[in-house]
């Protein structure tokens, strides 16, 4: 952030030298850095209205009129306890991210353990009262969606455009009410912008402007300042040249803070935000004796610096590499941008060394910073060089075929640059626009285009456009919306990186020496008891930390509207100027546009499509583009340790720790809060472990792969240069319609195959170039996660999660002697990658011995020999293992051979392993190798055998379908369905999977009858699901319990929503933060009655998981290219119950899978092992496999020895406490009839019934006997359900399609009576009133046309419909409001998870 973060304070060197003073001092706001670190590490107890840091209570925190829904809070109150923790005891310095220091672990605390579970510590952000985005009319060019107005304000402040920022804040003054938090934060952001500006310009006129703004624009308009406002004004006042005036100003604003009763909070805020220079000034000018009474008189100190060391590093070892005979820009993509990898003279220069640095490491850091920083400059330099070389070579004939793509891109850049510069000039004077719409657009996107120079904007647009259009099926073109979005996002990423670099450059505040700061602290210790502001400083800092952190000058993510506007502008400019020269008879040239636009129909809708010119396409096929040059490449130094949501990973390029899109706003909020509270420590350390593993390129494998590439041959997964695709002959116009249809279908398939080869070859070309650039360097992969916690390497092109050829290229940079066990594991690994992985470990070793001649032949003559390795399941990894095993066996002592090859240990259907452990399923545990055994069990074979046995039994009973399929069930038929069932595959998806396998194995089976073939796949899929339900009974029950919990959560209203609805009903709760716009009761009631509660849980490592699935609507954004339909998800949108419910069980298992991997990574690091992982495949050196296997098993046992499901249930009770959900009751049950009779008498709407039930429950919980009696006398539908026995007549869950081993009757799969229309309380009662036919016809959908019923006779279909209607009458339901509680946890089976400690095949 441009303004100093509230978490930034004392320097590390000062804190180390002042340990004795820290032990005496209990003044956290004087030592903010250490106090904030303490807050991160201290166990935090949380409440819904306050944060208790285990300190004595203080007066309630108000801080203005902060809306309850805007703050961060927690689930339950903490029990009071004595503060027995000294915050300054052994301070941690982990928050310092100096890239010059090696990342070290705190040896006093192991990170591989599990924290004790406390449901009261559940993180909760009460955001259910957030309203949908509001749009406001434009005044003086400022208007539109209110969120975009705030983003424009931030952009103007970051650019120093204070005039435009002031106009924006004045517009917000008109939009918001004076007491709204949003308006207050806008004013605070404006003051922060003034502070940043005056720090650099020393403009004294801004001081007077600030004071006037404070009185006139802020207080004069009724906006009440808070402690942040006062602190910012005081900080800015320190830059006044008149020191006497500073003292008066400081005292004046502190007096205002006292008047507002925020003095203590202001002092805490000041001391957490002050720079060192401001720290000293505050000791001079502060009141209450900080200057005169303390006797402190400190002179400003000179900036302390470490003497710069500039020592060149040793040249990296040069090795001759066989030249690649590839052509074009794709093969030159990284030469310029990565040329410093082999330029030793530039190493170690331009950066100060810090303590612990070696010159060689400093040089690597310098190189890494340059690689990340100079992406666009390198691209431009390469294009210019290509263009100059082309000009020299062809001179007069500049047609396309004589030019390289690099020179073409340089031409486009030169053509685009003037247009961009002209647009920037118009942005600076938007009033000169030719139309009102242009002026409005320029006022919106203008600030965001000014982050970057015109040169960078132009080059980024050219790069992003070519990248998108060449790495996709470019012959068909791409959707214009996709291109616009990609270009806009690319510019956003470059802008974010540029802002980060500016901030790092701007952090040049003077540093006070440790000795001088120790003098200040020593004298301030004497004031500890004297100054009232210090007495509750720890609590005050806790209160400050609890509040919703003001964005101030943060750089929020661009909205989809802004991304679209920016992307559309740049694409339109490129579209207008980019042209190519083509030969024209007889010897001339003609100019044609490089891009073509068209409208095409896709899925019944018109779609804007943009294509490259055919001549460029032909050139691209031979000359792929190295598109994202040096963007997110592997790192030459260890990644920066993760400490926050965007604090970690690369040195210069900002990356989020969680991969989020526009639909993940809640995930971002929870992750940021969890980071601040210290909950993410273990997860961050685990990501650091993965990122700290150094890698190298396997030289031998690289040379072989380059030879294959240069040959153009299709070998393993390397795409051919010229694929031999034979198209069928056109049947002609005389052919029948069916023949024409089949011909068109075949041609489309072949076109897709050709385009697939092209795309793969382009991508593989770039992967090889990245490997070549890092051939002589150690490198690292920084890691981040998806929202479920599954880790991924950030570099997208070459990493160990890539395809087989990528994995074959990579080895550990550090080697380990094989030893006795290592040699055995190397043999086992070869069998595994070959595909012989279902045998015992002894048989796998024997497999390698039996094929030793094939192994030697593959290693010594991989392309000219028998090519045995190509028969492997993973051929490139098999070849790499052949090379490693050959080198080891031919060495003087194979056990002493130093091996770098990663050896994998893979789980057996890992999701089912977790389910079996959760449910205690003994049979299931045996099938997924949790139970010890002499040979590995194969779940896929076991399920195939059960399915075959069931089909054989049906065949004996004369079932025609069974007789047709008997004997045809192979392992391959069931494998994909079994594998994906645990991750939420639907029954329709399972049928499609089985159908695909049947076509592959038995192409002639029912080839002429698609309907019967589809019915056969459904028959087999049902058998697979039945087999799984028998094998995993406990897991099946847990999956349904998870689904029922999700169903209740998604049909629930939060306590905040209910309270707001009560206020609306009473006539005093229909206010909004806005002074204009919709404020009527009906509109607000509709918003607050939406079901907006997502399923949220916390992993055993305390990472919050938020499911992002919501019902979103589209909005139209007009651009100068076309109207774009955008989706802008918001937490104000109702949740998608179906997606939330179906995704919860698989996402929950994914989060456990990630936890197991993280625990294993942390423990392996503690033991000194090299560790890498691909989800449920763990990698280490062959010599360390036995140790890693012990760690894997102990981590799994440790995790599942905890009551994971019980923890989840307790968390749900705490997180959703006080909510009400819309339960369903069987329509014709006794209680269902009683409810209908009661409603006829009461005649209440749904919302009124909710509030009535809430009042009854409140009265029953009262301590007043009369009120309890009144509650007991009330009769409501909820009361009737209670009297009948909770759960007796509640309807069963119907929406969990594809549960483990569960298949609903196909007739019922589309029936869902449970949720009202649009998830609103104003919908009609479901299936209550009207005729039976009318009650059902609106909610029952027709069956799939390809389903089995289509093969039945008309009479059979009619009979089926009648039976279905009768069944629907029986399952009709009505609704009732109930307190949000959760069903009992299913009983666990008998399997003891500790038994897997002796299982050799759990991971193998």
């Amino acid at each position: 952030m441009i303004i100093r973060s509230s978490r930034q304070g004392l320097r590390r060197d000062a804190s180390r030298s002042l340990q004795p003073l820290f032990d005496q001092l209990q003044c956290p706001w004087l030592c903010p850095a250490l106090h904030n670190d303490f807050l991160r590490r201290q166990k935090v107890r949380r409440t819904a209205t306050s944060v208790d840091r285990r300190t004595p209570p203080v007066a309630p925190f108000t801080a203005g009129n902060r809306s309850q829904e805007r703050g961060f809070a927690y689930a339950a109150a903490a029990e009071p306890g004595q503060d027995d923790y000294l915050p300054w005891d052994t301070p941690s310095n982990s928050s310092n991210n100096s890239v010059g220091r090696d990342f070290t672990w705190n040896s006093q605390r192991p990170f591989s353990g599990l924290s004790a579970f406390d449901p009261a510590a559940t993180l909760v952000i009460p955001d259910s009262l957030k309203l949908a985005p509001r749009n406001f009319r434009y005044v003086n060019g400022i208007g539109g969606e209110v969120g975009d107005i705030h983003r424009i304000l931030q952009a103007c402040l970051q650019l120093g455009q204070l005039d435009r920022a002031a106009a924006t804040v004045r517009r917000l003054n008109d939009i918001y009410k004076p007491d709204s938090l949003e308006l207050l934060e806008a004013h605070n952001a404006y003051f922060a912008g003034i502070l940043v500006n005056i720090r650099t310009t020393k403009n004294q006129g801004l001081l007077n402007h600030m004071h006037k703004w404070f009185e006139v624009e802020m207080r004069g308009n009724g906006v009440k300042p808070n402690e942040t406002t006062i602190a910012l004004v005081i900080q800015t006042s320190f830059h006044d040249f008149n020191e006497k005036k500073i003292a008066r100003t400081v005292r004046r604003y502190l007096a205002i803070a006292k008047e507002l009763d925020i003095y203590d909070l202001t002092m805490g805020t000041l001391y957490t935000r002050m720079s060192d220079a401001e720290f000293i000034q505050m000791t001079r000018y502060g009141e209450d004796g900080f200057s005169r009474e303390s006797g402190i008189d400190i002179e400003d100190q000179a900036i302390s610096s470490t003497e710069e060391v500039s020592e060149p590093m040793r040249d990296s070892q040069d090795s001759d590499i066989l030249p690649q005979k590839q052509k074009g820009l794709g093969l030159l993509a990284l030469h310029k941008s990565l040329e410093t990898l082999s330029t030793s003279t530039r190493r170690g220069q331009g950066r100060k060394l810090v303590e612990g640095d070696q010159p060689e490491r400093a040089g690597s850091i310098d190189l890494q910073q340059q690689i990340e920083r100079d992406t666009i400059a390198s691209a431009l330099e390469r294009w210019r060089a290509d263009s100059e070389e082309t000009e020299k070579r062809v001179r007069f004939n500049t047609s396309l075929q004589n030019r390289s793509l690099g020179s073409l891109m340089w031409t486009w850049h030169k053509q685009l640059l003037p247009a961009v510069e002209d647009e920037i000039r118009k942005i600076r004077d938007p009033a000169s626009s030719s139309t009102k719409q242009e002026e409005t657009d320029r006022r919106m996107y203008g600030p965001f285009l000014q982050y970057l120079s015109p040169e960078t904007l132009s080059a980024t647009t050219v790069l992003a456009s070519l990248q998108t259009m060449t790495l996709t099926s470019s012959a068909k073109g791409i959707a214009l919306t996709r291109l616009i979005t990609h270009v806009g996002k690319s510019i956003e990423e470059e802008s974010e990186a540029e802002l980060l670099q500016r901030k790092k450059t701007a952090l040049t505040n003077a540093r006070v020496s440790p000795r001088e700061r120790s003098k200040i602290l020593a004298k301030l210790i004497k004031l500890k008891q004297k100054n009232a502001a210090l007495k509750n400083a720890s609590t005050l800092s806790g209160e400050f930390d609890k509040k919703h952190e003001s964005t101030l000058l943060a750089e929020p993510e661009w909205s989809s509207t802004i991304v679209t506007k920016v992307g559309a502008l740049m694409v339109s400019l490129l579209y207008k100027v980019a042209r190519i020269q083509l030969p024209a008879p007889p010897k001339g040239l003609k100019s044609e546009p490089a891009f073509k636009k068209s409208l095409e129909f896709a899925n019944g809708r018109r779609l804007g499509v943009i294509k490259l010119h055919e001549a460029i396409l032909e050139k691209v096929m031979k000359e792929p583009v190295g598109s994202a040059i040096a963007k997110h490449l592997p790192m030459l130094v260890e990644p920066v340790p993760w400490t926050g949501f965007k604090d970690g990973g690369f040195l210069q390029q900002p990356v989020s720790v969680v991969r989020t899109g526009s639909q993940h706003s809640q995930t971002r909020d929870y992750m940021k809060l969890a980071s601040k509270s210290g909950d993410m420590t273990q997860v961050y350390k685990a990501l650091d472990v993965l990122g700290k593993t150094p890698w190298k390129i396997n030289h031998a494998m690289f040379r072989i792969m380059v030879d294959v590439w240069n040959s153009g041959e299709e070998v393993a997964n390397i795409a051919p240069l010229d694929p031999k695709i034979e198209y069928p002959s056109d049947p002609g116009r005389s052919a029948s319609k069916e023949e024409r249809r089949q011909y068109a279908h075949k041609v489309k398939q072949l076109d897709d195959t050709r385009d697939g080869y092209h795309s793969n070859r382009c991508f593989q070309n770039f992967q090889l170039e990245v490997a070549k650039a890092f051939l002589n360097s150690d490198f690292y992969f920084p890691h981040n996660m998806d929202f479920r916690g599954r880790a991924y390497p950030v570099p997208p092109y070459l990493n160990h999660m890539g395809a087989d050829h990528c994995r074959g290229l990579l080895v550990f940079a550090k080697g380990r002697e094989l030893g006795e066990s290592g040699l055995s594991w190397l043999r086992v690994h070869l069998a595994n990658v070959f595909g012989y992985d279902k045998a015992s470990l002894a048989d796998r070793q024997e497999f390698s011995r039996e094929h030793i001649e094939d192994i030697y032949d593959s290693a010594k003559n991989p392309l000219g020999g028998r090519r045995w390795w190509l028969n492997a399941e993973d051929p490139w990894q098999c070849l790499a293992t052949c090379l490693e095993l050959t080198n080891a066996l031919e060495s003087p002592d194979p056990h002493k051979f130093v091996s770098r090859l990663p050896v994998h240990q893979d789980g057996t259907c890992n999701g089912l392993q977790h389910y079996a452990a959760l449910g205690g399923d003994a049979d299931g545990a045996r099938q997924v190798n949790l139970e010890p055994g002499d040979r590995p069990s194969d779940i896929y074979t076991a399920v195939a055998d059960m399915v075959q046995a069931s089909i054989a039994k049906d065949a004996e009973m004369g079932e025609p379908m069974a007789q047709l399929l008997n004997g045809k069930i192979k392992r391959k038929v069931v494998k994909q369905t079994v594998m994906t069932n645990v991750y939420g595959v639907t029954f329709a998806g399972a049928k499609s999977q089985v159908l695909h396998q049947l076509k592959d194995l038995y192409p002639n089976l029912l080839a002429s009858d698609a309907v019967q073939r589809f019915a056969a796949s459904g028959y087999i899929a049902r058998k697979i699901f039945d087999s799984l339900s028998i094998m995993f009974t406990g897991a099946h029950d847990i999956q349904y319990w998870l689904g029922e919990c999700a169903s209740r959560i998604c049909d629930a209203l939060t306590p905040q929503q209910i309270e707001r609805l009560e206020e609306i009903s009473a006539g005093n709760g229909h206010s909004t933060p806005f002074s204009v716009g919709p404020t009527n009761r009906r509109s607000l009631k509709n918003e607050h009655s939406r079901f907006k509660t997502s399923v949220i849980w916390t992993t055993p490592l305390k990472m919050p998981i938020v499911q992002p699935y919501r019902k979103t609507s589209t909005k139209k954004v007009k651009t100068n290219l076309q109207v774009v339909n955008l989706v802008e998800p918001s937490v104000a949108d109702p949740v998608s119950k179906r997606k939330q419910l179906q995704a919860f069980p698989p996402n929950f298992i994914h989060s456990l899978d990630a936890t197991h991997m993280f625990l294993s990574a942390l423990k392996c690091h503690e033991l000194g092992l090299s560790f890498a992982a691909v989800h449920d495949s763990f990698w280490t050196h062959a010599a360390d496999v036995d140790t890693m296997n012990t760690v894997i098993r102990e981590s799994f046992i440790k995790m599942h020895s905890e009551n994971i499901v019980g923890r989840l249930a307790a968390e749900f009770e705490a997180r959703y406490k006080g909510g009400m959900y819309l339960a369903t009751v069987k329509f014709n049950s006794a209680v269902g009839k009683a409810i209908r009779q009661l409603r006829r008498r009461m005649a209440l709407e749904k919302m009124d019934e909710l509030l009535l039930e809430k009042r009854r429950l409140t009265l029953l919980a009262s301590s007043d006997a009369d009120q309890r009696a009144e509650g007991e006398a009330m009769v409501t539908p909820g009361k009737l359900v209670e009297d009948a026995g909770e759960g007796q007549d509640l309807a069963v869950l119907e929406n969990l399609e594809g549960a483990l081993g569960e298949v609903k009757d196909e007739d019922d799969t589309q029936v869902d009576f449970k949720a009202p229309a649009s998830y609103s309380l104003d919908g009609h009662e479901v299936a209550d009133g009207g005729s039976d036919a009318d009650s059902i016809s609106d909610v029952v959908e027709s069956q799939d046309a390809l389903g089995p019923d289509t093969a039945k006779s008309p009479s059979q279909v009619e009979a089926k419909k009648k039976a279905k209607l009768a069944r629907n009458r029986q399952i009709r339901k009505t609704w009732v409001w109930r307190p949000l509680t959760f069903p009992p946890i299913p009983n666990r089976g008998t399997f003891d998870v500790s038994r897997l400690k002796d299982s050799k095949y759990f991971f193998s």
Side-chain angles (χ1 to χ4, degrees), residues 173-202:
N173 267 337
D174 298 333
I175 291 174
Y176 286 109
K177 295 178 180 177
D179 61 352
S180 67
L181 173 63
E182 293 83 355
L183 180 58
L184 175 61
E185 290 189 337
H187 282 280
N188 287 346
Y190 183 59
F191 285 136
I194 293 176
L195 174 60
V196 171
N197 193 289
I198 203 170
R199 275 177 174 168
T200 56
T201 66
K202 308 300 181 184

Side-chain angles (χ1 to χ4, degrees), residues 669-963:
D669 291 341
Y670 270 93
M671 287 298 301
K672 291 174 183 177
L673 182 58
S675 297
K676 290 178 62 177
S677 63
D679 287 353
M680 293 297 296
T681 300
Q682 284 182 282
V683 173
Y684 286 167
K685 298 301 182 187
L687 290 174
D688 294 339
V689 167
L690 299 174
K692 283 166 60 71
T693 300
W695 298 85
K696 291 184 74 71
I697 298 296
N698 187 326
H699 283 221
M701 288 295 298
F702 178 76
R703 287 193 294 268
I704 295 169
M705 216 168 287
V706 168
D707 287 342
V708 170
W709 177 267
N710 292 340
S711 71
E713 180 185 357
E714 181 179 11
V715 176
N717 66 332
I718 299 297
L721 177 62
D722 294 311
K724 307 301 181 183
I725 299 177
E726 295 184 4
Y727 283 84
S729 57
D730 192 328
R733 295 183 179 180
S734 60
S736 66
K737 181 181 293 186
E738 178 62 21
E739 289 175 331
R740 296 291 302 172
R741 188 192 65 78
Q742 291 181 0
Y743 167 75
H745 179 69
K746 182 65 175 177
V747 169
K748 182 180 182 302
Q749 285 183 323
L750 295 176
D751 285 342
D752 290 343
T753 301
R754 182 197 60 199
D755 291 343
Y757 279 133
H758 165 68
S759 297
N760 288 340
R761 191 162 179 88
C762 288
F763 195 69
Q764 290 168 350
N765 185 57
F766 191 56
Q767 289 171 323
L768 288 175
E769 191 59 43
V770 172
K772 181 179 179 182
F774 287 89
L775 196 59
N776 296 313
S777 302
D778 295 355
F779 51 89
Y780 304 83
F781 298 127
H783 281 64
N784 61 4
M785 309 172 287
D786 63 16
F787 76 95
R788 302 164 300 184
R790 304 197 95 190
Y792 299 85
V794 179
Y797 299 104
L798 180 67
N799 60 62
H800 60 290
M801 282 194 185
D804 176 47
H805 67 286
C806 294
R807 300 184 187 190
L809 281 172
L810 296 172
V811 293
F812 290 133
K814 297 177 181 178
R816 289 271 284 136
E817 290 185 0
L818 283 176
E820 187 71 35
S821 65
L823 186 59
S824 299
W825 278 113
L826 197 58
R827 288 191 172 102
V828 170
H829 180 64
L830 186 137
N832 286 346
V833 295
F834 192 86
Y836 189 74
D837 55 347
K838 305 302 180 292
S840 67
L841 294 177
D843 289 345
R844 294 183 219 180
Q845 292 187 54
E846 187 60 31
F847 173 87
S848 298
R849 293 188 180 96
E850 291 175 356
H851 290 277
I852 191 64
E853 294 301 325
D854 292 322
I855 293 171
Y856 284 151
D857 179 74
S858 297
K860 296 178 180 180
N861 195 8
L863 300 179
R866 296 191 294 270
R867 295 193 176 192
W868 172 80
W869 58 278
L870 286 177
N871 299 319
E873 190 173 284
D874 299 308
W876 290 112
Q877 293 175 78
C878 179
L879 179 58
T881 311
C882 290
L883 290 167
E884 192 83 350
L885 188 57
T886 298
N887 292 334
L889 294 176
E890 292 186 345
S891 65
D893 185 353
H895 298 143
K896 295 290 185 181
F897 177 77
V898 177
S899 173
R900 301 176 187 271
L901 188 75
V903 173
H904 312 168
Q905 295 289 279
D906 298 345
T908 306
C909 200
N910 193 240
L912 285 174
Q913 288 180 327
H914 284 288
Y915 265 128
L918 290 172
D921 289 312
D923 290 340
R926 190 178 303 109
Q927 296 300 333
V928 291
N929 294 310
L930 298 187
E931 188 74 37
D934 296 331
R935 299 184 65 82
S937 297
D938 181 22
I939 179 66
Y940 311 116
T941 300
V943 172
D945 291 343
M946 289 185 69
V947 171
Q948 174 57 44
S950 179
I951 290 177
K953 185 176 180 180
D954 288 350
E956 291 177 0
M957 298 175 64
E959 172 66 38
M961 186 64 72
Q963 292 173 343

Side-chain angles (χ1 to χ4, degrees), residues 371 456 558 575 584 834 1015 1050 1177 1211:
I371 290 171
T456 304
W558 295 8
Y575 177 77
F834 192 86
C1050 294
S1177 176
E1211 179 187 346

